[in-house]
Amino acid sequence: MQVYSYPDPGTWHELQQRPAAAEAPQVAARVRAIFEQVRAGGDAALLALANELDGATLTSLRVSATELAAAAAQVPAELQAAIRQAKANIEAFHQAQGGAELRVETMPGVHCSRRAVPVQRVGLYVPGGSAPLFSTLLMLGVPARLAGCPEVVVCTPPQADGSVSPVILFVAQLLGITTVVKAGGAQAVAALALGTESVPAVDKIFGPGNRYVTAGKQLAAAEYGVAIDMPAGPSEVLVIADASANPAFVAADLLSQAEHGPDSQVVLLTDSAAVLVAVQAELANQVATLPRREVAEQALANSRAVLLADTASMLQFSNQYAAEHLILATDQADELAAGVTNAGSVFLGHLTPEAVGDYASGTNHTLPTSGFARQYSGVSLDSFVKKITFQRLTTSGLQAIGSVVETMAEAEGLSAHARAVSVRLASLAEEPSFPMADGAGAQNPYAGLIRPSVERMQPYSSARDEFEGMAPVMLDANENSLGSVGPDDFSRYPDPHQRAIKTQLAAIKGVLPEQIFLGNGSDEAIDLLVRLTCTPGRDAIVVCPPTYGMYEVAANLNDVRVERLLLTPDFQLPENAAQELAKSSAKMVFLCSPNNPTGNLLAQAALEEILRTFNGLVVVDEAYADFADAPSWTTRLADFPRLVVLQTFSKAWGLAGLRLGVAYAAPALIAYLNKIKPPYNISAATQQHALAALASSPKLPEMRQELLAGREWLRQQFMSVPIVERIFPSDSNFLLVRFSVDATEVYDQLRARGIVVRNRTTQPGCRGCLRLTVGTDEENTRLVNALLEISAESTSTQSDTTAAAARA
């Protein structure tokens, strides 16, 4: 390495030059010629360039399905396991970058939003010349898949025998990528930018490479209208090492980048002469044993070690250099990191080698080089999406902002702009309509349903309503800026609108985020619905016993009258239910389906008739719907604006301890619930756990199937228990069972054996019934065995009683 001691800051610019900079004009000219060759010759040009530049004779550019299928067998199991772990870490870090859709109400009734839309066709360049960098395919392919890019094309240089590294093909298979092209260098970039017979032209090109690849990407962006991730050329690292640094660690880090290629550059900054000398000695020792020693030594010849006066000087030099990789080999790494303004990726402390970022920590290793870290970020999930803005105005919004737009448009002399607003305002003045949340005019479906006091009230505006996101200094909400008491930091208020959860849940459920309300369990939604519609001491709700008891509790709490419409003996709505409800002045009817405690679905036709004829809100409580083989009523929200569907994370999702319930309804009705809810009703911890659960939603069907299998097993076993009189049909994760003996006695006997069930014998229509939840296989077996024991004891007692009576 070239060594410089205390150079004058005026000379730093020269020391910060990259070795490839002097060759830039010649490289650019050669790359332009390659682009012209590929544009004119297509596949034939790529085949010729593969022979000329890679020494590979190819008959086909595309990797065949047979080659892809054969790849895994050539990759050692240990390496496959390592790749899978790295993939999981990269997925975890990049998936967390997918924030919720941005939604802001800039003024009342003026709604602006921004949505991430995936780039439709992306090209990934994976270096594979002197060293096949399969890790780059992980770094690019994982976020491309997470972003939802429909088409992914991979280009990677062929080996001399015309093959592609089997590890690269294994990773492609792992990511579900089937379009792999045997092309490297600037010719691959040209093919992705221009398209050939075998290579689709793409919208954006990603990936690092040598100076020819970098020049190709810049040419594609400048003259062919193809976006690129960033200029990412020869690899580089800068290490800031003070007296606390371990020279062996520092030397290893420098060599880890030097071995990439002869045009790589490594830089050491230190304020310790002893460390500088020790690192040089370590470099000499370690490079001698490297398989790529010749490459590393060429890179070291173009690299520099600089002795500076202090930490401040090192940080200043580093920010001017803007390294791809920056290692802070110091005991004060966190404090020093606060001053970093230009770097692709930063590695903190003595135990964080740059190599972990290259492979498996989870951050992306495709980073800006050659000083471009001053302007560019590294690849992230955002790199693979476009952000499209949307705006929607309600009647009040257009009326509020209209004059502003008219005034500004007229001032610029653009009368047609002003007229586009004016004609709408005139139309609204002529034909007043109810402002639904989707902006469409419609007859008000909630006329007379919403309490007048709620209509008039102004909702509480929290600090997080007035400012979204985070800033370097947050002093607006009277939070404890020092942090939290306890191991986790919950010192900041959570998102009051739970945007991230609603976005992911909406995608899973097939609804809009604005059709979702999240509550502290379903109970909060039940209580808010009662308070939203019912004036205390005057209004009523309808319940259909036997059913969930919280409906009546919420009514009683709010001084609201309860009307009861009893279910039939088979726990269905009576035939005249719709007619009876149509005559009721109640504000709301609660219909639990699958019903609790009976477990059965209510007949769809009966619910639909009620939805068409009842004048109040129809609340369908689907806490157990995940266990039923029937479509959710959320699929009918567009048909029935007064329909509210309740669901929960407590049952099928197994998150009862989180207390997270969901209400689905028309956006206008959800807006009312948001108006009256407490500002921060869902905690940060609950939101974090819910997002993790939603990310693992593919596990849900397997758990559901296991519980349904347990339910069927219990049903079969109960049929052979003598004291069981009837097992009611169930569409839930429990069975309602009627016993031929005293159910309360059975309940007590089970409790004495350490088994707790629910005694429902006092509920209407449930005489002699216990509600039995499906447990684990072991718990189910214990329950059945206990019932058999109780049955045997009951039979014995009855026999003794009969014998005693006979003797008497």
Side-chain angles (χ1 to χ4, degrees), residues 750-776:
L750 288 172
R751 190 172 62 175
R753 288 168 168 80
I755 300 172
V756 179
V757 298
R758 199 75 189 272
N759 189 351
R760 300 285 84 186
T761 190
T762 60
Q763 298 298 304
C766 296
R767 179 194 53 80
C769 292
L770 300 181
R771 194 189 71 189
L772 310 172
T773 304
V774 178
T776 64

mmCIF file of all heavy atoms in Angstrom, residues 750-776:
data_model
loop_
_atom_site.group_PDB
_atom_site.id
_atom_site.type_symbol
_atom_site.label_atom_id
_atom_site.label_comp_id
_atom_site.label_asym_id
_atom_site.label_seq_id
_atom_site.Cartn_x
_atom_site.Cartn_y
_atom_site.Cartn_z
ATOM 1 N N LEU A 750 -64.431 -32.644 35.520
ATOM 2 C CA LEU A 750 -63.310 -32.325 34.626
ATOM 3 C C LEU A 750 -62.342 -31.369 35.296
ATOM 4 O O LEU A 750 -61.115 -31.537 35.216
ATOM 5 C CB LEU A 750 -63.835 -31.723 33.321
ATOM 6 C CG LEU A 750 -64.537 -32.683 32.356
ATOM 7 C CD1 LEU A 750 -65.176 -31.908 31.201
ATOM 8 C CD2 LEU A 750 -63.540 -33.711 31.794
ATOM 9 N N ARG A 751 -62.873 -30.369 35.966
ATOM 10 C CA ARG A 751 -62.007 -29.395 36.634
ATOM 11 C C ARG A 751 -61.174 -30.058 37.713
ATOM 12 O O ARG A 751 -59.998 -29.723 37.917
ATOM 13 C CB ARG A 751 -62.864 -28.273 37.216
ATOM 14 C CG ARG A 751 -62.034 -27.096 37.726
ATOM 15 C CD ARG A 751 -62.900 -25.927 38.107
ATOM 16 N NE ARG A 751 -63.814 -26.285 39.206
ATOM 17 C CZ ARG A 751 -64.624 -25.419 39.800
ATOM 18 N NH1 ARG A 751 -64.667 -24.168 39.387
ATOM 19 N NH2 ARG A 751 -65.421 -25.811 40.786
ATOM 20 N N ALA A 752 -61.757 -31.031 38.404
ATOM 21 C CA ALA A 752 -61.015 -31.763 39.436
ATOM 22 C C ALA A 752 -59.864 -32.554 38.830
ATOM 23 O O ALA A 752 -58.878 -32.847 39.518
ATOM 24 C CB ALA A 752 -61.967 -32.702 40.180
ATOM 25 N N ARG A 753 -59.979 -32.894 37.547
ATOM 26 C CA ARG A 753 -58.914 -33.623 36.844
ATOM 27 C C ARG A 753 -57.952 -32.672 36.117
ATOM 28 O O ARG A 753 -57.137 -33.111 35.306
ATOM 29 C CB ARG A 753 -59.534 -34.604 35.844
ATOM 30 C CG ARG A 753 -60.212 -35.808 36.490
ATOM 31 C CD ARG A 753 -61.044 -36.573 35.460
ATOM 32 N NE ARG A 753 -61.474 -37.877 35.948
ATOM 33 C CZ ARG A 753 -62.505 -38.081 36.750
ATOM 34 N NH1 ARG A 753 -63.228 -37.029 37.174
ATOM 35 N NH2 ARG A 753 -62.828 -39.312 37.151
ATOM 36 N N GLY A 754 -58.071 -31.366 36.374
ATOM 37 C CA GLY A 754 -57.163 -30.399 35.767
ATOM 38 C C GLY A 754 -57.552 -29.992 34.365
ATOM 39 O O GLY A 754 -56.712 -29.464 33.618
ATOM 40 N N ILE A 755 -58.811 -30.211 33.996
ATOM 41 C CA ILE A 755 -59.279 -29.863 32.650
ATOM 42 C C ILE A 755 -60.395 -28.836 32.784
ATOM 43 O O ILE A 755 -61.429 -29.103 33.387
ATOM 44 C CB ILE A 755 -59.795 -31.111 31.894
ATOM 45 C CG1 ILE A 755 -58.671 -32.153 31.770
ATOM 46 C CG2 ILE A 755 -60.331 -30.726 30.526
ATOM 47 C CD1 ILE A 755 -59.139 -33.477 31.212
ATOM 48 N N VAL A 756 -60.194 -27.668 32.193
ATOM 49 C CA VAL A 756 -61.178 -26.591 32.289
ATOM 50 C C VAL A 756 -61.876 -26.427 30.941
ATOM 51 O O VAL A 756 -61.221 -26.238 29.913
ATOM 52 C CB VAL A 756 -60.512 -25.263 32.696
ATOM 53 C CG1 VAL A 756 -61.559 -24.137 32.770
ATOM 54 C CG2 VAL A 756 -59.801 -25.415 34.035
ATOM 55 N N VAL A 757 -63.209 -26.523 30.949
ATOM 56 C CA VAL A 757 -64.025 -26.296 29.762
ATOM 57 C C VAL A 757 -65.019 -25.180 30.098
ATOM 58 O O VAL A 757 -64.913 -24.547 31.136
ATOM 59 C CB VAL A 757 -64.730 -27.588 29.308
ATOM 60 C CG1 VAL A 757 -63.695 -28.653 28.931
ATOM 61 C CG2 VAL A 757 -65.648 -28.112 30.412
ATOM 62 N N ARG A 758 -65.980 -24.924 29.221
ATOM 63 C CA ARG A 758 -66.941 -23.841 29.467
ATOM 64 C C ARG A 758 -68.326 -24.427 29.690
ATOM 65 O O ARG A 758 -68.846 -25.179 28.853
ATOM 66 C CB ARG A 758 -66.972 -22.891 28.260
ATOM 67 C CG ARG A 758 -67.572 -21.514 28.587
ATOM 68 C CD ARG A 758 -66.578 -20.686 29.384
ATOM 69 N NE ARG A 758 -67.167 -19.454 29.893
ATOM 70 C CZ ARG A 758 -67.210 -18.305 29.247
ATOM 71 N NH1 ARG A 758 -66.686 -18.211 28.045
ATOM 72 N NH2 ARG A 758 -67.747 -17.245 29.802
ATOM 73 N N ASN A 759 -68.928 -24.087 30.823
ATOM 74 C CA ASN A 759 -70.265 -24.576 31.159
ATOM 75 C C ASN A 759 -71.291 -23.607 30.573
ATOM 76 O O ASN A 759 -71.386 -22.454 30.982
ATOM 77 C CB ASN A 759 -70.412 -24.650 32.682
ATOM 78 C CG ASN A 759 -71.699 -25.359 33.095
ATOM 79 O OD1 ASN A 759 -72.554 -25.656 32.257
ATOM 80 N ND2 ASN A 759 -71.843 -25.628 34.379
ATOM 81 N N ARG A 760 -72.071 -24.073 29.622
ATOM 82 C CA ARG A 760 -73.066 -23.231 28.952
ATOM 83 C C ARG A 760 -74.495 -23.667 29.245
ATOM 84 O O ARG A 760 -75.422 -23.250 28.553
ATOM 85 C CB ARG A 760 -72.843 -23.256 27.430
ATOM 86 C CG ARG A 760 -71.487 -22.760 26.966
ATOM 87 C CD ARG A 760 -71.385 -21.246 27.039
ATOM 88 N NE ARG A 760 -71.024 -20.768 28.377
ATOM 89 C CZ ARG A 760 -70.979 -19.504 28.719
ATOM 90 N NH1 ARG A 760 -71.266 -18.563 27.839
ATOM 91 N NH2 ARG A 760 -70.661 -19.151 29.951
ATOM 92 N N THR A 761 -74.683 -24.473 30.270
ATOM 93 C CA THR A 761 -75.998 -25.079 30.502
ATOM 94 C C THR A 761 -77.074 -24.056 30.848
ATOM 95 O O THR A 761 -78.260 -24.329 30.691
ATOM 96 C CB THR A 761 -75.891 -26.144 31.621
ATOM 97 O OG1 THR A 761 -77.111 -26.892 31.666
ATOM 98 C CG2 THR A 761 -75.632 -25.512 32.977
ATOM 99 N N THR A 762 -76.695 -22.863 31.300
ATOM 100 C CA THR A 762 -77.696 -21.848 31.654
ATOM 101 C C THR A 762 -78.092 -20.981 30.466
ATOM 102 O O THR A 762 -79.003 -20.155 30.592
ATOM 103 C CB THR A 762 -77.151 -20.941 32.769
ATOM 104 O OG1 THR A 762 -75.962 -20.282 32.307
ATOM 105 C CG2 THR A 762 -76.832 -21.745 34.022
ATOM 106 N N GLN A 763 -77.429 -21.143 29.322
ATOM 107 C CA GLN A 763 -77.749 -20.315 28.165
ATOM 108 C C GLN A 763 -79.021 -20.827 27.477
ATOM 109 O O GLN A 763 -79.302 -22.032 27.483
ATOM 110 C CB GLN A 763 -76.590 -20.339 27.162
ATOM 111 C CG GLN A 763 -75.297 -19.774 27.707
ATOM 112 C CD GLN A 763 -75.426 -18.316 28.086
ATOM 113 O OE1 GLN A 763 -75.809 -17.485 27.267
ATOM 114 N NE2 GLN A 763 -75.123 -18.006 29.343
ATOM 115 N N PRO A 764 -79.790 -19.917 26.872
ATOM 116 C CA PRO A 764 -81.022 -20.341 26.189
ATOM 117 C C PRO A 764 -80.761 -21.439 25.160
ATOM 118 O O PRO A 764 -79.879 -21.298 24.303
ATOM 119 C CB PRO A 764 -81.497 -19.051 25.509
ATOM 120 C CG PRO A 764 -80.921 -17.949 26.334
ATOM 121 C CD PRO A 764 -79.586 -18.456 26.807
ATOM 122 N N GLY A 765 -81.518 -22.531 25.257
ATOM 123 C CA GLY A 765 -81.381 -23.627 24.316
ATOM 124 C C GLY A 765 -80.194 -24.531 24.551
ATOM 125 O O GLY A 765 -79.977 -25.486 23.797
ATOM 126 N N CYS A 766 -79.384 -24.267 25.593
ATOM 127 C CA CYS A 766 -78.149 -25.022 25.812
ATOM 128 C C CYS A 766 -78.199 -25.851 27.102
ATOM 129 O O CYS A 766 -77.153 -26.157 27.688
ATOM 130 C CB CYS A 766 -76.939 -24.078 25.851
ATOM 131 S SG CYS A 766 -76.632 -23.205 24.316
ATOM 132 N N ARG A 767 -79.395 -26.204 27.539
ATOM 133 C CA ARG A 767 -79.506 -27.002 28.755
ATOM 134 C C ARG A 767 -78.654 -28.265 28.637
ATOM 135 O O ARG A 767 -78.694 -28.972 27.650
ATOM 136 C CB ARG A 767 -80.966 -27.385 28.981
ATOM 137 C CG ARG A 767 -81.198 -28.248 30.232
ATOM 138 C CD ARG A 767 -82.572 -28.878 30.210
ATOM 139 N NE ARG A 767 -82.839 -29.601 28.980
ATOM 140 C CZ ARG A 767 -82.369 -30.842 28.746
ATOM 141 N NH1 ARG A 767 -81.595 -31.438 29.627
ATOM 142 N NH2 ARG A 767 -82.676 -31.436 27.609
ATOM 143 N N GLY A 768 -77.864 -28.526 29.687
ATOM 144 C CA GLY A 768 -77.054 -29.743 29.732
ATOM 145 C C GLY A 768 -75.826 -29.709 28.842
ATOM 146 O O GLY A 768 -75.231 -30.757 28.580
ATOM 147 N N CYS A 769 -75.407 -28.522 28.400
ATOM 148 C CA CYS A 769 -74.321 -28.438 27.412
ATOM 149 C C CYS A 769 -73.036 -27.862 27.998
ATOM 150 O O CYS A 769 -73.060 -26.928 28.807
ATOM 151 C CB CYS A 769 -74.751 -27.566 26.229
ATOM 152 S SG CYS A 769 -76.044 -28.291 25.208
ATOM 153 N N LEU A 770 -71.929 -28.430 27.544
ATOM 154 C CA LEU A 770 -70.602 -27.882 27.784
ATOM 155 C C LEU A 770 -69.980 -27.513 26.435
ATOM 156 O O LEU A 770 -70.197 -28.204 25.439
ATOM 157 C CB LEU A 770 -69.697 -28.888 28.499
ATOM 158 C CG LEU A 770 -70.145 -29.399 29.870
ATOM 159 C CD1 LEU A 770 -69.096 -30.363 30.420
ATOM 160 C CD2 LEU A 770 -70.379 -28.251 30.839
ATOM 161 N N ARG A 771 -69.204 -26.453 26.430
ATOM 162 C CA ARG A 771 -68.481 -26.071 25.220
ATOM 163 C C ARG A 771 -67.028 -26.510 25.369
ATOM 164 O O ARG A 771 -66.335 -26.109 26.316
ATOM 165 C CB ARG A 771 -68.542 -24.554 25.027
ATOM 166 C CG ARG A 771 -68.106 -24.105 23.637
ATOM 167 C CD ARG A 771 -67.983 -22.596 23.574
ATOM 168 N NE ARG A 771 -66.821 -22.139 24.345
ATOM 169 C CZ ARG A 771 -66.559 -20.865 24.610
ATOM 170 N NH1 ARG A 771 -67.386 -19.931 24.204
ATOM 171 N NH2 ARG A 771 -65.491 -20.523 25.312
ATOM 172 N N LEU A 772 -66.575 -27.343 24.450
ATOM 173 C CA LEU A 772 -65.269 -28.000 24.558
ATOM 174 C C LEU A 772 -64.381 -27.526 23.411
ATOM 175 O O LEU A 772 -64.644 -27.808 22.243
ATOM 176 C CB LEU A 772 -65.429 -29.514 24.520
ATOM 177 C CG LEU A 772 -66.477 -30.085 25.497
ATOM 178 C CD1 LEU A 772 -66.687 -31.571 25.243
ATOM 179 C CD2 LEU A 772 -66.049 -29.840 26.930
ATOM 180 N N THR A 773 -63.288 -26.831 23.732
ATOM 181 C CA THR A 773 -62.359 -26.324 22.728
ATOM 182 C C THR A 773 -61.424 -27.432 22.261
ATOM 183 O O THR A 773 -60.977 -28.261 23.055
ATOM 184 C CB THR A 773 -61.523 -25.175 23.315
ATOM 185 O OG1 THR A 773 -62.405 -24.172 23.813
ATOM 186 C CG2 THR A 773 -60.605 -24.559 22.266
ATOM 187 N N VAL A 774 -61.117 -27.425 20.964
ATOM 188 C CA VAL A 774 -60.137 -28.370 20.425
ATOM 189 C C VAL A 774 -58.760 -27.987 20.956
ATOM 190 O O VAL A 774 -58.335 -26.825 20.849
ATOM 191 C CB VAL A 774 -60.133 -28.348 18.886
ATOM 192 C CG1 VAL A 774 -59.078 -29.306 18.341
ATOM 193 C CG2 VAL A 774 -61.515 -28.698 18.345
ATOM 194 N N GLY A 775 -58.052 -28.954 21.537
ATOM 195 C CA GLY A 775 -56.719 -28.701 22.072
ATOM 196 C C GLY A 775 -55.647 -29.386 21.253
ATOM 197 O O GLY A 775 -55.853 -29.757 20.085
ATOM 198 N N THR A 776 -54.483 -29.581 21.860
ATOM 199 C CA THR A 776 -53.437 -30.373 21.232
ATOM 200 C C THR A 776 -53.857 -31.838 21.241
ATOM 201 O O THR A 776 -54.820 -32.228 21.914
ATOM 202 C CB THR A 776 -52.105 -30.211 21.978
ATOM 203 O OG1 THR A 776 -52.261 -30.748 23.307
ATOM 204 C CG2 THR A 776 -51.705 -28.743 22.080
#
